Amino acid sequence: MAERILKLSRGIDMSDRSIALIDVNNFYVSCERVFNPKLEGKPVVVLSNNDGCAVARSNEVKALGVKMGQPWFQLKNLAKKHGIVAYSSNYALYADMSNRAMSILATFSPNQEVYSIDECFLDLAGFKAHNLICYGQRIRQRIKQCTGLPVCVGIGSTKTLAKLANHIAKKNHEFNGVVDLNIMSLQKQNEWLRKIEVSEVWGIGRRLAPRLHEMNIKTVLDLKQACPSRMRSCFSVVMEKIVREINGTTCIELEEINLPKKQIVSSRSFGIPVSDLASLEESVSLYISRAAEKLRRQRSYAGAVLVTIRTSPFNVKESYYANSLTIPLSTQTNDTVLLTNIALWGLRKIYRYGYKYQKAGVMLSNLVSTHNRQSDLFSLELVDTKSDNLMQVIDQINARMGRNTLKLASQGFRQPWKMKQGNKSPSYTTSWDELICVTQ
């Protein structure tokens, strides 16, 4: 009640909210098309780590029946027949393009929640004086002009309805990329909700949809008309909130931006099977280095390190082995050197000779901020100024000159085990050597 009164005092009517979800269409594919316009209109897929599965598909590829996550080796004949262009994931490019788009979107509302790499929520309650359809078109035009990325905008009174509005905008070209459910009549809203399969609802997906089908709930409209308390007893409080959100009652608020992560994970599958300890040590050193960078970026310290290794669970010809070890720290740290030494100690404890390992990873947990960091009883001082200065210098040099300009020797140099990226596009926006050159 106090929150409602506070928001009403600021001019925000909780019963008539406008939440917008802005989503980049086929994000990875769209990033590739920005810098290679010849790909427009062509079937394009972006592959996962080691060029394994399709994780992004252009509309042309979707029309051919290619499913999300479908293995690339199953698509090679189809790709040859229809000229499907396949790219390896270029994570540095995608992250940079995402940051650019989210920075622009932040100028359209003071309340923004970055939900994923390609979508964010904006609270437009204070913009009721504007025609929100026109405002949504301004958003689309600005993003297209400044980044080249195509987006759709869905507007509703709750986050769940905004998600559904965005889905309608993507699938129905007559809306020109913007749908505002708030200005539709209840009858019109229900007509559109009747056309959407219940598995498309945010938080439902394919896992819960079969159970809902058994209850004769097959469309979003069916779910809207369901009893919230019954949905809670049959599923959980989350399902009750979804039903109430579809009916226009706010249950899921916008979250704060850039909340520090509670744990940081860094792991990759290898490009080739790894059996020797030296190669595993190189990979773990690399993953710890990247995790420690992220740790310092959010001004946190880790209180525990987990290291894990495993062989392929799908190789029936080889014995399967997986193991992990968590090492608690007496004093929280973000020092790459110290964290690497700890992780390598743990790796040597769980390594077993004679196996072909497919994947290794690390996780930093028990994270605390600078103000909450505690020393152990026997530490002479809490702050290691020499270590902090060293890490700061390394981060500054790598930020200015490029990742891995300075790195630990234990990360190795040849790294034959690194994941396959056989058709990765250049780092158009993050490497001076790979900038696009325009010639006459």
Side-chain angles (χ1 to χ4, degrees):
M1 178 61 71
E3 182 182 2
R4 176 180 171 83
I5 293 173
L6 177 60
K7 292 193 174 184
L8 286 173
S9 69
R10 293 176 179 173
I12 300 176
D13 185 357
M14 293 289 289
S15 64
D16 190 23
R17 300 184 67 187
S18 290
I19 302 296
L21 176 70
I22 299 89
D23 185 14
V24 183
N25 303 337
N26 309 323
F27 178 62
Y28 288 0
V29 170
S30 295
C31 288
E32 299 292 351
R33 284 175 166 173
V34 168
F35 299 96
N36 188 355
K38 292 181 180 179
L39 298 175
E40 288 290 346
K42 293 185 178 180
V44 181
V45 297
V46 175
L47 304 176
S48 62
N49 293 344
N50 294 310
D51 297 342
C53 305
V55 292
R57 305 155 296 155
S58 67
N59 291 334
E60 295 80 8
V61 170
K62 294 176 183 178
L64 295 174
V66 176
K67 304 297 182 183
M68 174 66 81
Q70 192 166 346
W72 174 240
F73 74 86
Q74 294 180 359
L75 302 174
K76 289 190 175 179
N77 290 335
L78 187 69
K80 187 175 182 181
K81 180 179 179 180
H82 296 280
I84 298 176
V85 181
Y87 277 87
S88 305
S89 293
N90 189 340
Y91 297 117
L93 174 66
Y94 308 149
D96 186 66
M97 293 296 287
S98 173
N99 291 336
R100 295 176 185 221
M102 297 306 162
S103 297
I104 296 167
L105 290 171
T107 66
F108 284 91
S109 172
N111 300 317
Q112 178 192 38
E113 177 191 337
V114 178
Y115 180 67
S116 68
I117 193 172
D118 62 344
E119 56 187 335
C120 82
F121 291 99
L122 296 179
D123 190 343
L124 301 183
F127 296 82
K128 288 300 182 73
H130 298 268
N131 180 323
L132 292 186
I133 293 290
C134 295
Y135 199 65
Q137 292 297 344
R138 282 176 54 193
I139 291 173
R140 295 184 71 234
Q141 292 163 8
R142 180 78 63 81
I143 294 294
K144 185 69 174 178
Q145 178 185 18
C146 296
T147 68
L149 297 171
V151 302
C152 284
V153 181
I155 303 171
S157 58
T158 67
K159 291 171 75 173
T160 303
L161 286 173
K163 275 267 193 180
L164 291 168
N166 188 280
H167 175 83
I168 295 170
K170 275 188 175 182
K171 301 295 182 181
N172 300 275
H173 298 296
E174 63 264 32
F175 289 103
N176 195 25
V178 181
V179 168
D180 185 356
L181 289 178
N182 287 343
I183 64 174
M184 290 186 185
S185 66
L186 182 60
Q187 180 183 358
K188 196 68 177 177
Q189 277 191 36
N190 289 342
E191 287 178 7
W192 282 108
L193 297 183
R194 185 182 290 112
K195 298 177 182 179
I196 305 175
E197 219 285 327
V198 72
S199 63
E200 298 292 341
V201 178
W202 185 34
I204 301 294
R206 296 178 181 178
R207 184 175 61 87
L208 295 178
R211 290 180 59 190
L212 290 170
H213 289 170
E214 293 174 359
M215 302 170 66
N216 204 31
I217 299 175
K218 299 180 179 179
T219 69
V220 179
L221 182 60
D222 295 333
L223 186 60
K224 178 181 180 180
Q225 295 171 342
C227 174
S229 58
R230 183 188 177 213
M231 290 296 100
R232 178 172 183 162
S233 63
C234 293
F235 294 90
S236 67
V237 67
V238 175
M239 183 66 77
E240 179 188 12
K241 288 182 177 181
I242 291 172
V243 175
R244 294 190 184 280
E245 285 252 322
I246 295 174
N247 282 278
T249 301
T250 300
C251 299
I252 309 171
E253 292 287 350
L254 260 66
E255 298 177 2
E256 295 181 38
I257 311 169
N258 297 327
L259 285 173
K261 294 181 179 179
K262 296 181 179 179
Q263 58 187 32
I264 297 176
V265 178
S266 181
S267 66
R268 287 286 187 276
S269 296
F270 301 133
I272 58 174
V274 169
S275 57
D276 61 295
L277 179 60
S279 293
L280 285 173
E281 288 179 337
E282 288 181 356
S283 66
V284 167
S285 295
L286 174 62
Y287 302 153
I288 275 286
S289 177
R290 292 181 176 176
E293 287 177 14
K294 296 177 182 178
L295 187 68
R296 293 191 293 272
R297 200 175 300 144
Q298 70 173 38
R299 302 176 187 274
S300 296
Y301 295 81
V305 178
L306 177 142
V307 59
T308 178
I309 53 175
R310 69 168 171 83
T311 61
S312 173
F314 306 106
N315 188 349
V316 296
K317 298 180 180 179
E318 302 282 347
S319 298
Y320 179 71
Y321 174 73
N323 206 347
S324 63
L325 180 65
T326 299
I327 306 105
L329 309 181
S330 58
T331 303
Q332 299 95 340
T333 183
N334 60 16
D335 186 318
T336 299
V337 178
L338 179 57
L339 290 170
T340 299
N341 289 335
I342 293 167
L344 292 181
W345 178 86
L347 172 65
R348 294 173 190 129
K349 289 289 185 181
I350 61 175
Y351 171 76
R352 296 293 180 271
Y353 178 78
Y355 290 97
K356 294 181 179 179
Y357 295 94
Q358 184 210 27
K359 188 175 184 178
V362 299
M363 181 176 74
L364 304 180
S365 58
N366 297 349
L367 307 189
V368 297
S369 65
T370 304
H371 303 296
N372 295 327
R373 187 185 179 202
Q374 293 182 340
S375 175
D376 71 279
L377 181 62
F378 303 102
S379 293
L380 296 178
E381 57 180 347
L382 177 60
V383 179
D384 187 343
T385 305
K386 184 177 180 180
S387 169
D388 286 348
N389 290 341
L390 176 61
M391 293 301 107
Q392 185 177 1
V393 169
I394 291 175
D395 290 342
Q396 289 175 349
I397 292 175
N398 286 336
R400 182 176 181 181
M401 307 301 294
R403 172 177 276 180
N404 291 331
T405 299
L406 287 181
K407 64 179 183 180
L408 300 184
S410 60
Q411 294 180 31
F413 296 92
R414 294 180 56 209
Q415 299 179 338
W417 44 266
K418 289 191 71 173
M419 70 177 182
K420 296 176 183 176
Q421 289 181 298
N423 195 25
K424 187 178 80 70
S425 56
S427 299
Y428 296 110
T429 65
T430 58
S431 172
W432 288 109
D433 297 330
E434 299 181 29
L435 293 177
I436 291 179
C437 296
V438 179
T439 58
Q440 294 183 344

